Amino acid sequence: MSGVDWPRLMRLGLVELGLAPDAFWALTPAELMLMAGGGAGGAGAMTRAGLDALARIYPDGSRGERHDGG
């Protein structure tokens, strides 16, 4: 027995987070926990204030810069 509660993790990913099965199985446990609002240091899920702060630090390019590596 692996000690992993797979039914609970699958319910979290597939039902609560609405992930497609292939997306669920491609995640690492750490990625799944971050999506669920957990993570290192007890940080919670991203809030609107957190998103606004990131947008101020890393604004979208306004001069036609590409962000896709091309």
Side-chain angles (χ1 to χ4, degrees):
M1 187 51 102
S2 67
V4 175
D5 187 351
W6 287 109
R8 181 171 177 240
L9 290 178
M10 291 173 68
R11 188 169 30 261
L12 170 67
L14 302 173
V15 177
E16 294 178 29
L17 295 175
L19 298 171
D22 60 334
F24 171 81
W25 290 112
L27 293 171
T28 66
E31 291 168 329
L32 181 59
M33 295 316 299
L34 283 172
M35 291 178 74
M46 174 71 72
T47 63
R48 181 65 201 202
L51 179 61
D52 290 341
L54 284 174
R56 282 191 301 277
I57 296 168
Y58 304 104
D60 288 341
S62 60
R63 294 182 304 268
E65 294 105 348
R66 291 180 61 174
H67 297 281
D68 61 1

